Amino acid sequence: MNRQQLAQEIIDAGRFLYGRGWSPATSSNYSTRLSANEALLTVSGKHKGQLGPDDVLATDMDGNSLEPGKKPSAETLLHTQLYRWKPEIGAVLHTHSVNATVLSRLTLADSLVFADYELQKAFSGITTHESQVLVPIFDNDQDIARLATKVQPWLDEHPDCVGYLIRGHGLYTWGLRMSDVLRQVEAFEFLFECELKTLSITRR
């Protein structure tokens, strides 16, 4: 795909995710791989339901803007980290849904485990409900470089990881294509809601 097509994928993703309530206002950030050494990301501070062609920019894999006058998201390093980790990753989505935010705050452990849900099969590499999907939860940190140093060891030790949560903040998930990542966001949101409803019943 060329840059225009990749930018349109980001724009379309923003409209969809905003419409579902998973990326309110200027929260969230999205990216696609532009080349082996470049990524295309949303510009900082833009409303995700109203993105246009000028609201994306190219960065290098160190998170530096390659387009003068355009400021990348503060969390760019968490995107480029994933592209460096696995060359096959083609898109990354970071969302701020209510369910992800609340569940990550209620979960005192450092991870969530999804088990025996049929919809787990929506995640890349999962072929049966008879499996477990481990989702790490990292404490929120305004120092993104420091946060990235906490994420990397987990990724290295869990090469099949399909996403992670930042506590009180949101979800990161990734895949080969934007369509794969959007599918995974939907699956995560379904499972987050199931877990929250289960907690509301069992804690009564």
Side-chain angles (χ1 to χ4, degrees):
M1 284 191 188
N2 59 34
R3 180 198 163 102
Q4 182 179 357
Q5 292 169 317
L6 292 171
Q8 190 61 49
E9 284 197 338
I10 290 174
I11 292 166
D12 292 343
R15 289 173 180 162
F16 172 75
L17 295 168
Y18 172 74
R20 297 297 295 267
W22 299 335
S23 288
T26 59
S27 72
S28 308
N29 36 74
Y30 321 133
S31 69
T32 57
R33 184 187 290 276
L34 189 55
S35 69
N37 300 308
E38 297 176 346
L40 197 63
L41 288 103
T42 44
V43 172
S44 178
K46 297 295 182 178
H47 191 293
K48 299 309 181 294
Q50 302 170 5
L51 293 173
D54 291 333
D55 296 328
V56 297
L57 80 161
T59 73
D60 62 22
M61 287 301 165
D62 292 320
N64 300 308
S65 174
L66 299 176
E67 299 183 27
K70 287 188 176 183
K71 179 184 176 184
S73 164
E75 296 168 38
T76 297
L77 281 177
L78 297 178
H79 289 253
T80 57
Q81 174 180 52
L82 292 164
Y83 293 125
R84 291 195 307 267
W85 174 52
K86 284 190 175 182
E88 63 268 30
I89 290 175
V92 178
L93 292 174
H94 170 47
T95 52
H96 283 229
S97 73
V98 171
N99 287 340
T101 303
V102 173
L103 187 58
S104 68
R105 288 171 61 91
L106 287 177
T107 304
L108 300 180
D110 59 5
S111 62
L112 284 170
V113 179
F114 296 128
D116 300 319
Y117 285 108
E118 181 68 16
L119 204 63
Q120 289 169 203
K121 295 191 294 184
F123 297 126
S124 297
I126 304 295
T127 58
T128 174
H129 71 282
E130 296 177 329
S131 60
Q132 290 190 340
V133 177
L134 188 60
V135 184
I137 304 174
F138 300 99
D139 289 335
N140 199 13
D141 193 336
Q142 297 303 302
D143 186 330
I144 299 302
R146 182 168 58 199
L147 178 55
T149 65
K150 297 175 182 176
V151 173
Q152 193 61 52
W154 176 277
L155 297 176
D156 292 338
E157 293 170 15
H158 301 83
D160 295 331
C161 182
V162 294
Y164 65 81
L165 286 166
I166 302 175
R167 200 179 306 277
H169 185 159
L171 168 72
Y172 270 87
T173 187
W174 50 86
L176 298 179
R177 296 169 296 275
M178 183 63 79
S179 58
D180 296 319
V181 195
L182 287 167
R183 183 189 71 241
Q184 291 191 167
V185 170
E186 284 199 84
F188 270 120
E189 289 300 331
F190 174 88
L191 295 172
F192 292 155
E193 187 167 354
C194 286
E195 289 291 302
L196 282 172
K197 287 187 174 181
T198 300
L199 283 173
S200 71
I201 294 169
T202 58
R203 291 188 177 184
R204 286 177 182 173

